[in-house]
Amino acid sequence: MSAEAQVGLGSKLGRMRRGFRGWRGQRPFWGGLLTLLGGIPIMYFPYANLTLGTLTVRMATTAGAGSLIIGVLLVVLGLTMWFQPQSRVFAGVAAILLALVSLVVSNFGGFVMGFLLALVGGALGISWVHEKPQRPVRRRAKAPDTGGFAGGAPQAAAGAAHEAAPGAGGTTDDLSGTSPSNGTNGRHRAD
């Protein structure tokens, strides 16, 4: 392979990777993946045969059809979290409920593996929030407040009185940065 072909392949893979990262960031990807993976052992184990030497052990139960239905529904709910992120709360709650039901119906939830995967995946699906891009915050210039007086004399006098009363160490006692002299009066602004 020539150097130009490798560079072209590298840029194409880079674009695909960035595209996948963008797609993954717009949906509860990990919640959907864990829910999908949780459905596989739940629907597999009731139909599996375990062979130990010449002894074959069938783990089929009377609830095999129920296990299959629960497993398929968990896979579908995982895909729903991926391709319909607006219904993530419904899919997450349904995944948690199906995981709990699988404990009773399907060999302890696919020997606890499927149960834990579906439970954590459902919780991640519920808790996922789409992060909106933040716009830059515009700050408005604040006009100086004269306190109803044309010259602003009362505020200047109050500020001078506050600065003239330092604490015991020669500094003001106000550690929060809110004081009447800077106009905040105990209120904080989110800037």
Side-chain angles (χ1 to χ4, degrees), residues 81-106:
M81 286 185 209
W82 281 355
F83 296 108
Q84 294 292 325
Q86 62 271 18
S87 57
R88 64 181 168 73
V89 175
F90 167 76
V93 169
I96 290 172
L97 291 175
L98 284 171
L100 291 171
V101 169
S102 74
L103 282 173
V104 179
V105 173
S106 175

Side-chain angles (χ1 to χ4, degrees), residues 163-187:
E163 291 173 359
T171 61
T172 61
D173 292 334
D174 183 23
L175 299 177
S176 67
T178 60
S179 66
S181 65
N182 65 8
T184 56
N185 292 331
R187 296 182 309 264

